[in-house]
Amino acid sequence: VGFEVEAGAEFYDGLFDQLVLSDVGSELAAKLIEEIRARARDEGATSATRVIEILRSKLEDILSDTEPIAPFDPNRLNVVMLVGVNGVGKTTMLAKIARHLKEKNLNVLIAAADTFRAAAVDQLKIWAERTGTPIVSGQQGADPAAVVFDAAKAAVARKADVLLIDTAGRLQTKKNLMEELKKIERTITKNAPDANVHHLLCLDANTGQNAISQVELFRSVCRVRGLIINKIDGTARGGAVLAIVKKHRLPILFLGVGENVGDIVEFDAGEFVKAWFS
Amino acid sequence: GLTDRLGKVFSKWSGADRLSEARVEEGLREIRIALLEADVNLKVATEFLESVREKATGTHILLSLDPVQMIVKIVRDELIELLGGKDVEPPDELSASFNPILLLGLQGSGKTTTAAKLALHFKKQGAKTMLAALDMSRPAAIDQLEVLAGEIDVPVYVDRNATPVEAAKAALDLARKEGIKVLLMDSAGRLHIDDELMDEVRTIKEVTNPVETFLVVDAMTGQDAVNIAETFDAKVGITGLCVTKFDGDARAGAALSVKSVTGKPIRWVGTGEKVGMIEPFIPERMASRILG
Ligand SMILES: Nc1nc2c(ncn2[C@@H]2O[C@H](COP(=O)(O)OP(=O)(O)OP(=O)(O)O)[C@@H](O)[C@H]2O)c(=O)[nH]1
Ligand SMILES: Nc1nc2c(ncn2[C@@H]2O[C@H](COP(=O)(O)OP(=O)(O)OP(=O)(O)O)[C@@H](O)[C@H]2O)c(=O)[nH]1
Ligand SMILES: [Mg+2]
Ligand SMILES: [Mg+2]
């Protein structure tokens, strides 16, 4: 009260450090500091409180400036495929989304297109059962596109509102696995030609700068239209999303905030940034 | 990689100008950016640069014909040193007759897969090996380990009705009884800030008294790796690290950071999804990855 910290060089260095420690990346962090410093100068602001407000609004602007997205069109079959590298929470998030949609009385079908990893189908079958969602699966080791083929046919036949597709984790540098995604996408297009198709890339909030390469390479092989950030209930801030959203303007749809099926939050830029400063 | 970046910086200067302290500072800034881009923790990078600065401002550097190569070599040698030096102990020389090994870490870091990989490795070495399924929470976690155990033909202790601690005790007793040499215990993923689950894994460790407690860390982990590792070490105690998903293009700065801050050695590196894809940790390889 009555004591205001001055925003000097040390203060800005401290902000830079905080941004880097949040995985914003040194290049973007430096750029952001420069921008807020300039803005503070322009408005003659010298208090630390005001500079932090400027930074907060800058971060919120970046995260809000995204392409509009409508993955759940009430008048069509919606196909949503979750993709991403290994272990980032795709299967669990798919279960969360299934339940989230069913609460809105939508007719949901699940496709277990991870035919590779040990017990991946078993894992998803348990979630399907827990959420009361029908599931289409295939043989272990089968072509994932074959499962998607069956699921797309079933979704159209059943007049499902949403077909949720779980895929195997794959490192973005594995060309053959990325080609597999292209094939799956072609299967969707051929067998559900009128569907509203959205692919959502799942990122782990603990991931550092490699998240950027993940977005680039997954986008290059399939229609990634939005992002999901999982494990934000940990201590990592997920700052890599800033550079990603700044460049790609991809909307973040959901946050995974835990291991239970209810641990899903619709993304809100203001709330996300507020959590950083709390 | 770093050589190109430094090359660009140094190419701006010429001749006698070459290696004044100011020039070295500019090179160091470039190195810092490269380290941060590689996910090396900010504090670790800062300390690392201190030791590089000391070595890089010696006169033998200033008189060198190729300052870029000299500085890159200093950085590389310092990284290798920080990662454990040129002669790391092989991670698979087990001197005890009974070796329980506990794997722990964050959700999705690669524990279950690593447990199976290590089981196969020790089995191939001729050690009587067993796995223990201690993840009772994740759907089909036990199934996952059972499938992997079946693939490598290693017995796995399973009790779906036990708590993780009960199963750990029972697995330990059975392994002892069966003359098992290596018991690999796979635990559930957990957050370092979840007190209940951290207590649980500490109890598992207490009742099984493992010869190794490995923190499994994803190579793509960012700045928070240090906080995560320090917390696991403080609350449970770890003896080493396993880095997974090294077959991607993540620069793995997190591995360096965790080793540097906890002082615990990196022992194994996962290099693929298949059960044969694990290697003993080699500092030189990780140094090259971090340098890009
Ligand atoms: N704390 C936390 N854990 C999560 C979250 N989402 C998923 N998990 C956990 O992360 C681990 C991996 O989740 P999965 O859903 O299997 O991840 P995946 O991307 O499908 O993994 P792969 O199919 O093997 O690539 C599990 O232990 C989940 O319970 C989250 O939001 N928070
Ligand atoms: N490419 C690659 N994938 C890996 C590696 N290690 C594990 N994985 C994959 O990463 C994902 C997660 O591995 P898990 O073994 O299920 O991880 P976990 O730590 O047991 O997960 P939780 O039990 O849910 O905490 C799976 O898709 C694995 O196949 C590796 O070295 N390389
Ligand atoms: Mg999965
Ligand atoms: Mg596991």
Side-chain angles (χ1 to χ4, degrees), chain A residues 4-18:
Chain A
E4 193 51 273
V5 178
E6 273 271 322
E10 225 180 84
F11 172 77
Y12 282 105
D13 285 349
L15 277 188
F16 171 83
D17 286 1
Q18 281 305 312

Side-chain angles (χ1 to χ4, degrees), chain A residues 85-92 96 114 117 123 169 230-231 233 256-259, chain B residues 107-108 138 191:
Chain A
V85 301
N86 305 70
V88 297
K90 299 176 292 302
T91 303
T92 311
K96 294 170 181 176
D114 178 357
R117 205 209 70 212
Q123 181 186 10
N230 287 320
K231 308 183 199 172
D233 50 312
V257 295
E259 299 195 70
Chain B
Q107 292 88 349
R138 168 174 153 155
L191 293 181

Side-chain angles (χ1 to χ4, degrees), chain A residues 84-94 96 114 117 120 123 127 166-170 202 229-234 255-260 263, chain B residues 106-109 111 135 138-139 144 188-191 273:
Chain A
V85 301
N86 305 70
V88 297
K90 299 176 292 302
T91 303
T92 311
M93 175 50 69
L94 186 144
K96 294 170 181 176
D114 178 357
R117 205 209 70 212
Q123 181 186 10
W127 281 122
D166 187 23
T167 62
R170 67 203 68 219
C202 290
I229 316 297
N230 287 320
K231 308 183 199 172
I232 204 81
D233 50 312
L255 299 176
V257 295
E259 299 195 70
N260 297 315
D263 294 334
Chain B
L106 292 183
Q107 292 88 349
S109 54
K111 299 175 291 301
D135 181 353
R138 168 174 153 155
Q144 184 186 5
R190 69 200 68 225
L191 293 181
E273 286 199 70

Side-chain angles (χ1 to χ4, degrees), chain B residues 1-291:
Chain B
L2 186 64
T3 306
D4 305 327
R5 305 176 74 118
L6 286 179
K8 285 207 190 85
V9 170
F10 282 64
S11 65
K12 297 187 292 166
W13 327 322
S14 58
D17 228 13
R18 282 224 129 178
L19 249 293
S20 67
E21 286 202 14
R23 301 309 177 192
V24 170
E25 277 312 307
E26 205 170 332
L28 288 177
R29 259 199 304 282
E30 212 47 48
I31 294 168
R32 178 166 125 132
I33 294 173
L35 292 176
L36 293 179
E37 281 181 7
D39 292 325
V40 175
N41 183 271
L42 180 62
K43 303 185 175 87
V44 173
T46 305
E47 282 174 30
F48 179 80
L49 283 172
E50 275 313 303
S51 52
V52 170
R53 175 181 289 115
E54 274 175 40
K55 298 206 160 65
T57 41
T59 36
H60 63 295
I61 305 291
L62 299 177
L63 299 176
S64 138
L65 288 171
D66 188 347
V68 172
Q69 281 312 323
M70 286 241 59
I71 292 207
V72 171
K73 181 171 191 319
I74 290 172
V75 172
R76 190 155 194 283
D77 289 348
E78 284 298 301
L79 279 178
I80 290 169
E81 204 46 44
L82 204 50
L83 287 165
K86 294 221 155 97
D87 305 305
V88 288
E89 284 178 27
D92 53 2
E93 288 179 355
L94 304 172
S95 49
S97 56
F98 178 53
N99 301 275
I101 295 176
L102 176 61
L103 298 178
L104 43 73
L106 292 183
Q107 292 88 349
S109 54
K111 299 175 291 301
T112 303
T113 311
T114 302
K117 288 175 177 180
L118 290 178
L120 180 61
H121 181 94
F122 286 114
K123 171 181 168 170
K124 281 191 190 158
Q125 251 191 350
K128 198 159 186 230
T129 306
M130 179 183 276
L131 284 159
L134 307 184
D135 181 353
M136 313 300 182
S137 48
R138 168 174 153 155
I142 295 180
D143 300 272
Q144 184 186 5
L145 193 61
E146 281 184 320
V147 169
L148 293 171
E151 266 177 43
I152 62 177
D153 192 21
V154 165
V156 54
Y157 181 83
V158 171
D159 181 352
R160 289 163 198 277
N161 299 316
T163 65
V165 174
E166 291 165 351
K169 276 196 201 121
L172 190 79
D173 293 343
L174 179 67
R176 275 227 172 85
K177 195 159 134 271
E178 307 264 306
I180 295 291
K181 180 159 188 215
V182 184
L183 173 66
L184 288 148
M185 301 178 282
D186 176 29
S187 70
R190 69 200 68 225
L191 293 181
H192 49 302
I193 51 173
D194 183 329
D195 292 335
E196 195 178 326
L197 288 184
M198 292 303 280
D199 285 345
E200 175 188 273
V201 77
R202 188 177 53 251
T203 305
I204 291 174
K205 184 176 180 223
E206 282 165 12
V207 306
T208 58
N209 198 15
V211 306
E212 297 282 5
T213 301
F214 288 145
L215 177 66
V216 178
V217 177
D218 192 326
M220 62 181 103
T221 312
Q223 295 285 317
D224 206 38
V226 160
N227 172 38
I228 294 161
E230 280 186 312
T231 309
F232 269 97
D233 197 17
K235 292 186 180 177
V236 183
I238 64 178
T239 60
L241 308 157
C242 295
V243 177
T244 59
K245 308 177 203 172
F246 196 63
D247 45 314
D249 64 352
R251 303 274 297 285
L256 171 76
S257 305
V258 174
K259 160 76 176 75
S260 157
V261 164
T262 62
K264 302 294 156 73
I266 302 171
R267 305 286 259 154
W268 296 96
V269 180
T271 54
E273 286 199 70
K274 301 215 173 82
V275 81
M277 300 174 130
I278 190 161
E279 301 170 0
F281 171 69
I282 297 174
E284 287 88 334
R285 260 188 223 158
M286 193 148 297
S288 302
R289 171 70 69 95
I290 293 170
L291 286 175

